[in-house]
Amino acid sequence: LEPADRSVVVEGRAIHLTPKEFDLCQLLIRHAGRVLTHRYILTNVWGPEYADDGHVLRTLVYQLRSKLGTVSPDAARQIVAEPAVGYRLIAADRG
């Protein structure tokens, strides 16, 4: 994660993200391995007035996966949907 230019580096390549894509990516990375509820993500990325607007979250996750997938399909697959609950980022195996 590169906060200065709001990008993420995957396999040595910077992927420039929109502000909301970056906020979502940062939130998922910060809580890697944990399931985050739709409501939690929406409230933290958009604010409490969006707590029940799942459509904007699905759209943003699609966009983020698409951008990650241009560099690494494996990176895109690390964002996992937990049906009727939320999303989690699979913690990278660093071993």
Side-chain angles (χ1 to χ4, degrees):
L1 201 64
E2 297 292 337
D5 63 0
R6 298 185 67 81
S7 67
V8 63
V9 176
V10 177
E11 296 182 6
R13 289 182 46 197
I15 301 169
H16 296 282
L17 305 175
T18 67
K20 293 296 183 198
E21 290 167 347
F22 182 85
D23 292 344
L24 173 60
C25 190
Q26 185 174 40
L27 187 68
L28 290 169
I29 289 171
R30 194 176 301 143
H31 299 286
R34 290 181 43 207
V35 176
L36 302 179
T37 65
H38 297 122
R39 181 177 291 274
Y40 181 84
I41 296 169
L42 287 161
T43 299
N44 281 276
V45 174
W46 283 274
E49 62 275 13
Y50 287 89
D52 296 315
D53 197 348
H55 176 71
V56 296
L57 178 55
R58 284 188 302 276
T59 301
L60 193 67
V61 168
Y62 173 81
Q63 292 170 327
L64 181 56
R65 283 178 175 152
S66 294
K67 286 186 177 183
L68 294 173
T70 62
V71 175
S72 169
D74 288 337
R77 286 190 291 267
Q78 286 186 300
I79 300 173
V80 177
E82 299 293 341
V85 178
Y87 293 91
R88 70 182 167 96
L89 181 70
I90 298 172
D93 181 14
R94 299 185 186 251

